[in-house]
Amino acid sequence: MKTRKKLWIFLLSLFCLVMGGCGAQEEETEAEAPGVSWESLSFPQELEILYATQFSAASSPEGYTKISIEDGLSYLVVPEGAAVPSGVPAEITVIQQPLDHIYLAATSAMDLFRALEAIDRVTLSGVEADGWYIPEAKEAMEQGRMEYAGKYRAPDYELLLSRSCDLAIESTMIYHTPEVKEQLEDFGVPVLVERSSYENHPLGRMEWIKLYGLLLGREDAAAEYFDTQVEKLRDILQTENTGKTVAFFYITSNGAANVRKSGDYLAKAIELAGGTYLFQDLPGEDNAQATTNLQMEAFYAKAKQADVLIYSSTIDGELQTMEELLEKSPVLSDCKAVKEGAVWCTGKNLFQESLGLGDLMVDIHKILTEDQVAQDELTYLHPLR
């Protein structure tokens, strides 16, 4: 490992020399800038956060922003042209604006870049073109404006360095390969670990757009977009619960039912849309996993009387017919929702389109409160017939 690390450091040094002494230029820029120390900074201007619990942010009068993520990581965002303050604690990762060459391995964050009209800032992707369900990202890769730079667990370090990558955005999966995070940081690439999927409120997950607004210098656009989404849901959030029970699930390759825990943002979305989430007090509710697997017998015992079944297509592919569902598990034919034609399926793009949670809640509210719902009235759900 040490030999490999030395080799990469040598390559990085060689790259800087080829580019005309980039290290020397950076030192010169910082030396010419007015001195700022970490101890002299204060962050009195806190970012207004209404629903999110997994991050916080505050800014200094000089334009620096401190971001804290719930997993214990902290970041200092340095505005374009400003000096990195002296004495920044080692546990705080410095992110220097502008961010023009981002490596995005956390696919659920791409929708936030799209909403901020900043997909062009993501020039390096952790998935290949056929792995994107967001058309703009897929098109950017097909046209060469975004390059595949390896999966999160095996990034192409040489490509990242040659493209002057200035930020890597990872999902919490990176903690399964901590050596990758360490290697990126050793090469001078700051790593931000995205935790929006840990929010237990759907609007909390969507509110992460404010964090990306801070990173990209588009705070006002982020706040305006989020306020629009909240306004769209205002009437729904104020309506009473319908009392109808809803199961949200998919069937695994070994025949078990994967369900969301009651503290998960999708379970909360169902509740906010007027439904009663079926699976409460599941085993392991207190661990970090958002889902759990139930043997089909245990799932069927609760789901057989559910008013609505919603099948998640984001993992094992999109279903179109009831027959496809019953091929996966014939026992579901006796469920009340199956007999009454109250089975719905999400599109495979739901996970990547994280800002679509508002539209999903609108869809769920419609199917719970209206006797007949036309397909063209829905955004993310379609019926299984």
Side-chain angles (χ1 to χ4, degrees):
M1 178 63 74
K2 290 184 178 179
T3 301
R4 183 180 177 187
K5 183 175 177 180
K6 289 179 179 178
L7 175 61
W8 281 116
I9 293 173
F10 169 76
L11 290 174
L12 177 59
S13 302
L14 181 61
F15 173 73
C16 288
L17 289 172
V18 172
M19 295 299 291
C22 64
Q25 291 175 359
E26 289 175 357
E27 291 176 3
E28 182 181 352
T29 300
E30 290 186 14
E32 292 177 351
V36 178
S37 69
W38 172 257
E39 291 78 10
S40 70
L41 291 176
S42 62
F43 301 90
Q45 188 174 346
E46 293 189 8
L47 177 69
E48 182 183 41
I49 299 176
L50 302 177
Y51 297 95
T53 61
Q54 295 296 308
F55 80 94
S56 60
S59 298
S60 74
E62 297 87 355
Y64 297 89
T65 300
K66 183 181 179 183
I67 296 173
S68 299
I69 307 294
E70 190 62 21
D71 59 5
L73 297 181
S74 296
Y75 304 86
L76 179 68
V77 181
V78 178
E80 182 176 2
V84 176
S86 61
V88 176
E91 64 271 17
I92 295 179
T93 299
V94 173
I95 299 175
Q96 178 79 60
Q97 293 176 326
L99 302 176
D100 294 325
H101 300 285
I102 295 172
Y103 167 60
L104 183 61
T107 56
S108 63
M110 184 63 83
D111 205 24
L112 309 179
F113 283 88
R114 176 170 63 176
L116 294 172
E117 298 183 353
I119 284 184
D120 62 317
R121 304 286 193 93
V122 180
T123 58
L124 299 154
S125 169
V127 298
E128 299 189 66
D130 59 3
W132 284 112
Y133 300 126
I134 294 178
E136 294 88 342
K138 187 180 184 70
E139 179 182 328
M141 293 201 73
E142 291 174 343
Q143 295 181 355
R145 291 179 283 113
M146 188 187 302
E147 296 178 271
Y148 177 60
K151 296 182 180 297
Y152 76 93
R153 60 179 179 270
D156 185 336
Y157 296 108
E158 185 175 1
L159 179 62
L160 294 177
L161 294 174
S162 68
R163 297 296 186 269
S164 303
C165 177
D166 40 34
L167 178 64
I169 300 177
E170 304 276 359
S171 74
T172 54
M173 294 294 289
I174 195 65
Y175 290 133
H176 295 296
T177 55
E179 68 278 5
V180 173
K181 181 175 181 294
E182 180 184 353
Q183 191 74 280
L184 287 168
E185 291 171 337
D186 284 347
F187 288 150
V189 178
V191 178
L192 186 144
V193 181
E194 135 86 52
R195 285 180 60 91
S196 65
S197 63
Y198 284 74
E199 299 288 351
N200 60 16
H201 195 295
L203 286 173
R205 188 174 194 204
M206 296 165 66
E207 198 166 17
W208 274 66
I209 194 171
K210 293 181 179 179
L211 182 143
Y212 289 98
L214 286 173
L215 293 174
L216 299 171
R218 299 188 179 180
E219 298 95 327
D220 292 343
E224 181 179 353
Y225 185 93
F226 181 73
D227 290 344
T228 299
Q229 296 301 306
V230 173
E231 184 61 34
K232 181 193 301 184
L233 296 170
R234 191 171 302 281
D235 290 342
I236 291 176
L237 296 177
Q238 293 174 352
T239 58
E240 295 183 3
N241 191 285
T242 64
K244 293 183 178 180
T245 53
V246 181
F248 191 100
F249 72 105
Y250 74 88
I251 299 173
T252 68
S253 58
N254 62 7
N258 180 275
V259 300
R260 315 296 296 201
K261 294 180 182 176
S262 60
D264 178 66
Y265 66 89
L266 281 168
K268 184 68 171 179
I270 290 169
E271 299 277 350
L272 293 172
T276 298
Y277 184 64
L278 192 63
F279 297 98
Q280 305 289 333
D281 302 320
L282 291 169
E285 281 281 359
D286 56 345
N287 67 32
Q289 298 298 318
T291 67
T292 190
N293 289 339
L294 298 177
Q295 293 302 311
M296 186 50 64
E297 294 81 1
F299 175 80
Y300 172 74
K302 293 185 70 71
K304 63 182 178 181
Q305 292 301 320
D307 295 299
V308 175
L309 298 180
I310 300 178
Y311 192 85
S312 174
S313 292
T314 57
I315 302 297
D316 69 335
E318 195 166 330
L319 303 184
Q320 300 296 331
T321 67
M322 193 76 77
E323 181 180 0
E324 290 176 313
L325 174 63
L326 297 181
E327 284 178 359
K328 289 179 173 289
S329 183
V331 70
L332 296 181
S333 62
D334 290 330
C335 288
K336 172 186 174 183
V338 173
K339 292 178 178 178
E340 296 180 356
V343 183
W344 301 80
C345 186
T346 70
K348 60 186 178 181
N349 56 335
L350 178 62
F351 177 74
Q352 287 189 10
E353 295 188 356
S354 52
L355 291 173
L357 281 169
D359 290 327
L360 177 65
M361 290 168 63
V362 172
D363 285 0
I364 294 173
H365 184 73
K366 284 179 183 288
I367 67 175
L368 291 175
T369 59
E370 299 179 16
D371 293 332
Q372 298 290 331
V373 181
Q375 178 60 59
D376 60 5
E377 297 179 56
L378 302 177
T379 303
Y380 284 103
L381 297 179
H382 61 265
L384 298 186
R385 297 287 186 256

